[in-house]
Amino acid sequence: MNPLLSGEPASQRLTGALFTTETMQAIFCDRARVQAMLDFERALAVAQASVALIPASAAPAIAKQCDATLYDLGAIADATREAGNPAIPLVQALTARVAADGADAARFVHWGATSQDVMDTGLVLQLMKALHVIENDLARLSCALTALVQQHADTLLAGRTLLQQATPITFGLKAAGWLAAIDRHRCRIREMYPRIAVVQFGGAAGTLAALGDRGLSVAAALAEELRIVLPEIPWHAHRDRVAEVATTLGLLVGTLGKIACDVALLMQTEVAEAFEPAEPGRGGSSTMPHKRNPVSAAAVLAAATRVPGLVATMLSAMVQEHERGLGGWHAEWETLPEICLLAAGALAHTVQTIEGLEIDAARMTHNLELTGGLVLAEAVAMTLAHTMGKLRAHELVERACRLSMEQKKSLRHVLDADPEARVHLTAADLDRLLDPLNYTGQAQALIARVLAAHQA
Amino acid sequence: MNPLLSGEPASQRLTGALFTTETMQAIFCDRARVQAMLDFERALAVAQASVALIPASAAPAIAKQCDATLYDLGAIADATREAGNPAIPLVQALTARVAADGADAARFVHWGATSQDVMDTGLVLQLMKALHVIENDLARLSCALTALVQQHADTLLAGRTLLQQATPITFGLKAAGWLAAIDRHRCRIREMYPRIAVVQFGGAAGTLAALGDRGLSVAAALAEELRIVLPEIPWHAHRDRVAEVATTLGLLVGTLGKIACDVALLMQTEVAEAFEPAEPGRGGSSTMPHKRNPVSAAAVLAAATRVPGLVATMLSAMVQEHERGLGGWHAEWETLPEICLLAAGALAHTVQTIEGLEIDAARMTHNLELTGGLVLAEAVAMTLAHTMGKLRAHELVERACRLSMEQKKSLRHVLDADPEARVHLTAADLDRLLDPLNYTGQAQALIARVLAAHQA
Amino acid sequence: MNPLLSGEPASQRLTGALFTTETMQAIFCDRARVQAMLDFERALAVAQASVALIPASAAPAIAKQCDATLYDLGAIADATREAGNPAIPLVQALTARVAADGADAARFVHWGATSQDVMDTGLVLQLMKALHVIENDLARLSCALTALVQQHADTLLAGRTLLQQATPITFGLKAAGWLAAIDRHRCRIREMYPRIAVVQFGGAAGTLAALGDRGLSVAAALAEELRIVLPEIPWHAHRDRVAEVATTLGLLVGTLGKIACDVALLMQTEVAEAFEPAEPGRGGSSTMPHKRNPVSAAAVLAAATRVPGLVATMLSAMVQEHERGLGGWHAEWETLPEICLLAAGALAHTVQTIEGLEIDAARMTHNLELTGGLVLAEAVAMTLAHTMGKLRAHELVERACRLSMEQKKSLRHVLDADPEARVHLTAADLDRLLDPLNYTGQAQALIARVLAAHQA
Amino acid sequence: MNPLLSGEPASQRLTGALFTTETMQAIFCDRARVQAMLDFERALAVAQASVALIPASAAPAIAKQCDATLYDLGAIADATREAGNPAIPLVQALTARVAADGADAARFVHWGATSQDVMDTGLVLQLMKALHVIENDLARLSCALTALVQQHADTLLAGRTLLQQATPITFGLKAAGWLAAIDRHRCRIREMYPRIAVVQFGGAAGTLAALGDRGLSVAAALAEELRIVLPEIPWHAHRDRVAEVATTLGLLVGTLGKIACDVALLMQTEVAEAFEPAEPGRGGSSTMPHKRNPVSAAAVLAAATRVPGLVATMLSAMVQEHERGLGGWHAEWETLPEICLLAAGALAHTVQTIEGLEIDAARMTHNLELTGGLVLAEAVAMTLAHTMGKLRAHELVERACRLSMEQKKSLRHVLDADPEARVHLTAADLDRLLDPLNYTGQAQALIARVLAAHQA
């Protein structure tokens, strides 16, 4: 017996609660997939009646049965194995219901359409909903990031490169980098939208031949009914439209992973500069009472690990044969929804993290002092370079840094004792150069540029 | 509300019916995952009682509640989002049930274990079942392939390279190639087995510190209770064991994809040499009454398109931090089960296809004649090479092939008219050389080698 | 000794000749990478002189040494292993050359920049060239496809779905599908362009602190000098810009793979409807004189197999730590160039194939007749459906198809003998319905839509 | 002009110096690929002479020309584009050289072999060398790890899970985890070896038909001459053998990435517990004099990011058509060598890191004290659990941890002040429980198990 019949979920959605959202699960659950396909069948009947291809009475008779709650999903799943896709048994079940209702309309169900028309258009309808949710969450994230940027525009912390402290930055600058990236993703989604918001309708081999000379009129009416666009030509075996949804969300998840990575690294016991919002029961350990795990970061990083492989699958699957492919199309069915589910989940976690991010500015300052001034070595070197040349200055400071580390003395202390350095630098110079506040460069200007572009 | 609570499956299992089997779905459904985790908790209690770490009475009290049907999966899923993994709420629910039953044993639930101990060992238990099913199906496939090899050892057809007819082969030889590959996969699974059939048990950071000096005795008793092996050291952040299951199944699915590809190509309307078994309702079209689609090939090729990306995810996820990773481990939770589901589904389809494969030997012969003898050009060229040298012979025959194609005459006809060729080849030579039966080389000997190795 | 020193290419470029073009190899060879980095250093000096940050005389002195042919690439490669990136030894070598030339300018080389500024901006300069080549080749491909669409607008052939003949289409319609997809890719590249045509310049941790208060003026002048744009903020650890180049080319290669797959399938010995252009020595076999292998299709399909994994790498690599990443950035260095090389190679092969594609229209007609009319079963069924209802009509025609196949008689013959069918269809009806010319539906209208959109 | 002709390397090997080794580059450079193919041609001639299929004099005449330095690689590369693979022009060039030497032997060059026989066997010969190098480096790594384990068996540091300090471990235990994983990889390579150390020899379509009835004798002699094994049947389109090399190295690189990740995290400025070996010029920054970047970790992590996508390509490429595939085989040519290059490079970096790893045991102790005892919360909780029950104990300690963090007081201080805790725990208890030395559990026993298994 098919597990769907037994009321037992057949897959691993226990863990899905961590990786995605209920909203997105509702958009991509089996019931919703079936409903989207029925939406196509309903709209097709309405469109065909509107151009008098089928009797006016057939449309409402068909529409009446286009309600997913009327169907036994388990039975359709069972039949899918032999039929090769769920559209065939669904159309059979729909036809049977229309016929059972005494309607002569049964003969006009799915008129002139092919399985892929139903499934692809259904998918597009689901994607419209999914992208709407994602765009809303991105707007919310942008908003939260803007606040964070503004609030911490001059909160000092160590800039880190290759996991080593480099030179000081401000937390606002770091968050501005996040914000600018998120805004680019919003732009990408807007640009992609017209390429995916299209109906699929071509019939058996993409010619709409079964509809005689009214194929295009029906197609236009169908698109209008579904409030999406009629593309130039059916795209059954040209999958760049759906693959682009995958790549666009793949890029987004990459950025979300980067943000989660930053937060998780800041949250390390030894760094402790920023934290995911705390809530009772959140991020505890089954055995260690003191643990406060970065739960959202874990979920987002998992998504960032999983989505690239799924995107690769969508790209591999693009090589589809002739007018409709064998296997490539089928490979998309669960892959693209999975990408949407993971992207939405990662996004929701990021919103939650950013909206509730706890910052320990004191610890940031403390950590900036960990190296005894080494983090400002570049400031000293650049100043010396003006008089000594860059290379010589670099060497002098490099040597001072080495001494500082070996002798566990501050850079200030070492430089004070270095006659060559003291030729060029007064104590006041050193005071100024070794204060991180004086070495954040264009941080404020860069923040202002990002905020200006964001508001544009 | 979590979809699991509403009895509505949250994922796209409608299509799962095509891609996997009910047996494998039952092994990897949420209920089974929870049961496997409870099997760990039960065995842990039994093991700890056996070394007197916990009271003897605690074990049965805990074991009594280790039945997955007692738990509300939706509630556990809901709690997972905050907890960060499903083991935490499951252990809480288990503890609550033991306590509610009046048992003092509640204090000993999950004693000294960490979430990953439960989840990883639970996964191993599921994998044991999955690999058992896969090995059985592989044995059945080997058996069916052996029969096919024997039956068609001398059924002639065109060998094809780069999608062009090359030289004749026999269908038995083609099937022997399939069989030899399947046998190699069986060998790989056997070799991998001892590395994955291991318990995970290390406690918080892998030292079993919470169990004092009895950590290893408990671990050994636990492994014995679960009939798997105690590894040298916990492997929380070393994922080569689970990743190897992924790569091993990935290799298998690649071969299944290759077989499906061959069958689908043979089944093309223009080739029509072999067919997936026909059954009423199987592989029909929603619009074209004459269609007989290669449904199993589609499902297998979809798996072969999807699994590589999932394997890449498992490999990417291996970079896990310190004693337990952040995100990498989480990325495995749905990925490895998905690989198992797809591999099992692809395998079941292949068994069905091979056991019922229809061969049209007459059409094979017919197609072998399509080129008017060109498919035997090499036979002629090799014979001429003995007297003319390989290069000159190649050129002569290449020219004859070109003429044959341009003039749409058989190669025999062209060679008959070629004075240089006729110097070296009599009419009887040409009769012999242009009969595909005489140009199957070592096909029989190679088949014999494969069958001998198979039986070894 | 480093292989570069020995004049021996260290990698497998023997095969590169098949997979990419010399133009693209010239853009991405080591010498060109070094030149692009030197272009950055030159422009930086010019920009800094222009805002009087460095002496006016320093710029030409530095610029003079910014010629890649002056440098020993082998030595730079050797030093890269310890330095961690090639920018460090390159800047050292450049500085040494400037100093050796007697110039005081040596102290101003690379002033205030970090290694990633050089390497990323250098990469952008290379990408600008690569995208220019790709856009030109796409324009040429569009043009060739347009001609193909127009020429074969009504050349009949079998539409094929799931590798089975479905219903008739025209070759122009098939090519129109290719054209529409290529035009979408051109649009994607145009939209992406502004996000990648940007300078990278942030200094050690992205604040430009080493340049005091003139960081942004230098940055603006630098961008202008390089004729690219100054972004809002440095993007050292935000890799969506470069990853998007990967995904955009990945989508393109998917479509090229689909076209190659179609051509290769049409070129099969048993189908023989279309062929890659023939040239002496092209696609021969080392042993079979008659072979004409689809060489370009092989190369393109190889690219379509390789690029998805490389795109996944670019997406995985997006998770970069803090201000500059560890490993993720490094993973891009060879991956993105490889994607460009493969995309350009696949595109060049496709241009060659489409421009010289040989069509055998007679064979297309012949193959359309292979099924004895089954390929028009839908036409009959749809007509019968008007009077009998779709389901009953489908069943009647399905039965007729089965009989036709079992008895190896034409569909016409079977339908003639079917009393129920003959109630609804006259002989003239059957003549009309079974002529593929009458069943291409909206092929012409769809072609017209694609051409109109193409010209828009 | 082909870049190879100009002496200019066509690819990005400038960076290769960081990612791979010169030894491995020498194994996989173009010259070596050609030599490996010539080794096949030489051995084939010898084998055929040994069974008297060709004249005895032909073998040395052919062998004499089987030296890669005699050939113009640029010319072969150029011809590859049209020929479709490099074996065809190489065989032509070899034949021409044999002929030019006056040898009648020219007619027997490449006798009965197909391009893929040469290329696949050549690849196997290269892989034999590559695996030999990798096995040697793995042995060396195992050895270095063993020393590290023994040396630091009781060096205390914080165990970290999800990037948070969890409970104490010893550095020897951490290294033992690395060692055990490396030993598993050595075992996998040994098991894989017999499946890849095989000759490829099947002729045009795998039947060896061109060799009449001596095909298998030649094949056996050929394998013996090359000191590899004759498999049951040619494997032209069954790629599990080569794909398994990819997956096996992929698993290895995953573990190396995990080790690099650990080292890089330990090397963070704020952690500073372990360091890659320092050398002059190693890991410096072009702008920051104080930087000591984890250069090897960057290279290894880049490999761990890149290899999964390349492995996915090898798996995707397994779906090869009929007797020899179109595109899939070609996709392997550069992919598998790339995996070998990256694996060898990552391994060499890891050997260097482990052999020279600097440990700061004092800092490890210092960091273990950072949390004021929280890292021993589990120790307290487990002890309390014996009397209070696990859940209640967990809650008490969780509350104490919260207070400790909020009030920035040590856990000892808080527990001292907690009346409920003091009911169960004396001051001496607390002293004992809060000493990390007393809470490393079975670390020593686990280390002993790993070392014992290693020596076995």
Side-chain angles (χ1 to χ4, degrees), chain B residues 6-92:
Chain B
S6 69
E8 194 67 58
S11 71
Q12 46 258 288
R13 283 298 134 186
L14 189 62
T15 50
L18 181 60
F19 297 125
T20 188
T21 65
E22 293 184 23
T23 307
M24 203 52 93
Q25 289 189 65
I27 292 172
F28 285 108
C29 75
D30 281 340
R31 190 73 62 187
R33 187 192 279 262
V34 167
Q35 184 58 58
M37 291 197 280
L38 291 170
D39 288 345
F40 170 91
E41 298 293 352
R42 185 198 54 75
L44 179 63
V46 169
Q48 294 179 330
S50 79
V51 301
L53 189 74
I54 68 172
S57 63
I62 292 171
K64 187 179 163 195
Q65 307 300 335
C66 288
D67 172 351
T69 63
L70 302 172
Y71 294 85
D72 176 347
L73 301 194
I76 292 172
D78 281 343
T80 293
R81 183 177 164 83
E82 294 305 317
N85 69 57
I88 294 172
L90 177 63
V91 168
Q92 285 171 345

Side-chain angles (χ1 to χ4, degrees), chain A residues 220-234:
Chain A
L222 170 64
E224 199 184 345
E225 180 69 24
L226 292 170
R227 291 161 201 260
I228 47 181
V229 168
L230 178 67
E232 283 76 36
I233 189 170

Side-chain angles (χ1 to χ4, degrees), chain C residues 107-164:
Chain C
R107 71 175 63 182
F108 301 112
V109 169
H110 190 68
W111 189 260
T114 192
S115 297
Q116 194 170 354
D117 292 337
V118 196
M119 287 188 67
D120 276 352
T121 304
L123 172 65
V124 166
L125 297 176
Q126 291 176 288
L127 290 175
M128 294 297 96
K129 290 181 188 169
L131 289 172
H132 182 71
V133 169
I134 286 172
E135 287 197 296
N136 278 352
D137 276 2
L138 280 172
R140 190 170 154 188
L141 178 57
S142 266
C143 189
L145 283 169
T146 302
L148 202 63
V149 169
Q150 290 168 332
Q151 193 179 346
H152 292 286
D154 45 21
T155 304
L156 282 173
L157 83 164
R160 294 170 176 100
T161 60
L162 293 95
L163 290 181
Q164 302 292 305

Side-chain angles (χ1 to χ4, degrees), chain C residues 154-400:
Chain C
D154 45 21
T155 304
L156 282 173
L157 83 164
R160 294 170 176 100
T161 60
L162 293 95
L163 290 181
Q164 302 292 305
Q165 288 195 9
T167 65
I169 62 168
T170 76
F171 190 75
L173 184 70
K174 183 185 274 271
W178 299 344
L179 173 59
I182 292 298
D183 280 345
R184 286 194 294 276
H185 291 296
R186 296 174 71 188
C187 179
R188 284 182 189 104
I189 292 175
R190 278 194 303 273
E191 289 175 0
M192 168 193 76
Y193 199 85
R195 283 187 289 268
I196 188 59
V198 291
V199 77
Q200 175 73 283
F201 189 52
T207 61
L208 291 167
L211 301 182
D213 56 3
R214 267 175 295 178
L216 268 172
S217 339
V218 169
L222 170 64
E224 198 183 346
E225 181 68 24
L226 293 170
R227 294 163 199 260
I228 47 182
V229 167
L230 178 68
E232 282 76 37
I233 189 169
W235 45 281
H236 293 125
H238 283 282
R239 311 307 291 176
D240 55 291
R241 296 178 189 272
V242 284
E244 189 184 11
V245 177
T247 58
T248 304
L249 295 182
L251 291 167
L252 169 60
V253 171
T255 290
L256 299 177
K258 185 268 182 290
I259 297 175
C261 175
D262 282 0
V263 172
L265 289 171
L266 292 174
M267 203 169 154
Q268 289 174 101
T269 307
E270 299 83 3
V271 179
E273 297 182 358
F275 303 88
E276 289 187 6
E279 281 172 50
R282 186 171 168 79
S285 154
S286 70
T287 170
M288 291 168 287
H290 69 290
K291 275 300 266 324
R292 180 172 165 188
N293 287 324
V295 169
S296 283
V300 178
L301 288 168
T305 305
R306 292 172 62 185
V307 168
L310 297 170
V311 170
T313 296
M314 290 297 294
L315 293 175
S316 293
M318 287 182 70
V319 181
Q320 298 193 6
E321 299 85 0
H322 292 314
E323 280 56 68
R324 280 197 279 128
L326 180 78
W329 176 48
H330 307 75
E332 299 170 3
W333 296 354
E334 300 182 350
T335 305
L336 187 53
E338 195 70 25
I339 292 171
C340 293
L341 288 163
L342 289 169
L347 185 50
H349 275 292
T350 308
V351 168
Q352 184 178 1
T353 295
I354 296 298
E355 286 184 348
L357 196 69
E358 297 174 21
I359 303 289
D360 187 339
R363 183 66 180 255
M364 287 175 174
T365 304
H366 170 81
N367 286 341
L368 205 40
E369 290 162 0
L370 272 184
T371 61
L374 292 185
V375 78
L376 288 157
E378 189 196 57
V380 178
M382 288 306 289
T383 301
L384 286 173
H386 279 286
T387 45
M388 301 172 67
K390 196 166 62 97
L391 214 62
R392 239 182 104 57
H394 196 91
E395 283 162 9
L396 184 155
V397 179
E398 199 171 29
R399 192 183 61 223

